[in-house]
Amino acid sequence: MSGEDSRMNRPLRSCWATCGVLCLLLAVAVAASAHAQVDVDAARRALLDQVNVIGRPGVPGPVAVFSPHAFAVVAGGSANQQEAVVAAAAWDRGRIVVFGHGGYFSKGTLSTGETARFMLNAARWCAGARADDQPINVLVVRANEVAALLNEHPDSFRVQTADPRALTTIDPNVDVVVADASHYGSEAHRRSLEAFIRRGGGLITASLGWGYLQVNRGKSLIDDHPGNQLLAEAGLAWADGYLDGTHPSGYGVAIESPDRLNARTALEQLLDESGDRSLTVNDA
């Protein structure tokens, strides 16, 4: 397939890929156990405080959002087809922020627009009540530029850098973990992270759906992607496809909450508008 043909097929490919992930994972979110209540509007205000534009590293992919406790934060794509490039969720007592490209942890992207400010906001929001008025303890796994950014604010953050082995036994004093999804590839990593988040920890993570498929031939995002294996129950998953920028520097930030980008909310609205009471979200 030529490069031009590939670009022409991106919207269709992205749409079907995301739908495939959602259809198989929505039931997981429906059956999920107890979650902390999250005020989406308040959460978005906290995450987007003093943020107008975030960068666009390479070609990010979509983050599927499909639980009542998950929400899109920043959208990308065309005017007719938008999906989340950054999303967040509450999971039991913990909080999660997910980026649609690992390049969001890089210096070049962090220095674009207000991406650095957004990362600081994400660390504070993910810490939640654990932080109180004390510095937030952040464990950063092989994301040196994020660690450097946080270290510029010593009154707000205490930073520990580590390799992925630290994720198998997370120090109880840690408030937030920053780690690319490729760094929690083992079941032991994921069990430890799940327990950490559920008891009130925060996770800032990133991955690229189409990139994972490109370098892992024969594997699937649903069955094999470590981030999706960890976060499906929280209502978040990386999907295949590409997201165009919405601003010359990357992605513009919309103040209003993009509820339509949550598959569950969109389905509820569709059922309400159709007037068909023979189906519910749980039936779907």
Side-chain angles (χ1 to χ4, degrees), residues 127-141:
R130 291 166 63 100
D132 296 324
D133 295 326
Q134 301 301 315
I136 298 164
N137 294 312
V138 186
L139 174 65
V140 180
V141 178

Side-chain angles (χ1 to χ4, degrees), residues 228-246:
N228 290 350
Q229 289 179 325
L230 173 65
L231 299 180
E233 190 172 327
L236 298 170
W238 286 274
D240 193 7
Y242 312 88
L243 288 179
D244 294 334
T246 60

